[in-house]
Amino acid sequence: MKEKLKVLKILHIALCVGMVLAYVVIGDLKSLAFLELPELNTEAIVYICIPIAAIFVGNFLFRSQVDKIDRKKNLEDKIPFYQSAALLRWAILEGAAFIILFIKPDLIILGIFIIAYMIFLHPTEAKIKQDLRHTGR
């Protein structure tokens, strides 16, 4: 369990660090201008929906993948399925963060919120056991 958890933690850290570095380099976070929200118009509303949709879709797909794991398997056998589900959720969040960074950099604060949420999703043994406790079949 420890070795598989270590791999998942390394993947999570690498994704988070990559996003943070991209935001620092490309997003020009040196000035605090990113903290000012631009004027919200109908176009901006669409981009505000991206992080919300990414969180809901990512969590829905994660939960549906975890629910498909066979209950009869032991914890060690469930971990690869859990890794796939976690990577799917993280990929959706990462994609949403990069869409905002490249397409609508005026709303970079939303991407920062996505990164903060993704950091909050760091894998721990307790979280994995809790998520896998209620698996489906």
Side-chain angles (χ1 to χ4, degrees):
M1 174 72 176
K2 298 283 185 198
E3 193 62 36
K4 292 180 180 182
L5 180 61
K6 185 177 178 182
V7 170
L8 195 58
K9 283 183 177 185
I10 290 170
L11 288 170
H12 181 261
I13 289 170
L15 289 172
C16 290
V17 168
M19 285 193 306
V20 168
L21 286 175
Y23 266 69
V24 168
V25 172
I26 298 169
D28 191 31
L29 298 181
K30 294 173 190 130
S31 69
L32 295 178
F34 69 91
L35 292 174
E36 299 173 14
L37 280 176
E39 183 179 324
L40 296 179
N41 54 25
T42 54
E43 180 188 352
I45 299 297
V46 172
Y47 291 103
I48 290 172
C49 292
I50 290 174
I52 296 167
I55 290 169
F56 283 115
V57 169
N59 286 336
F60 174 77
L61 292 175
F62 172 78
R63 181 55 39 207
S64 67
Q65 291 288 66
V66 168
D67 287 344
K68 289 180 184 177
I69 300 172
D70 189 1
R71 269 191 178 172
K72 297 174 187 168
K73 294 183 181 209
N74 65 19
L75 184 62
E76 290 287 324
D77 294 337
K78 292 179 183 180
I79 295 298
F81 299 104
Y82 184 87
Q83 280 181 327
S84 298
L87 286 172
L88 178 64
R89 176 166 54 177
W90 297 338
I92 291 170
L93 292 171
E94 184 179 33
F98 281 122
I99 285 172
I100 291 172
L101 178 64
F102 292 120
I103 296 178
K104 194 68 171 169
D106 299 349
L107 297 173
I108 201 165
I109 191 75
L110 297 175
I112 293 170
F113 286 135
I114 293 173
I115 293 170
Y117 177 68
M118 189 156 158
I119 291 170
F120 172 73
L121 292 175
H122 70 282
T124 63
E125 190 171 343
K127 282 183 184 179
I128 292 172
K129 286 180 179 177
Q130 180 182 2
D131 288 337
L132 292 176
R133 187 173 304 136
H134 304 292
T135 56
R137 303 190 258 166

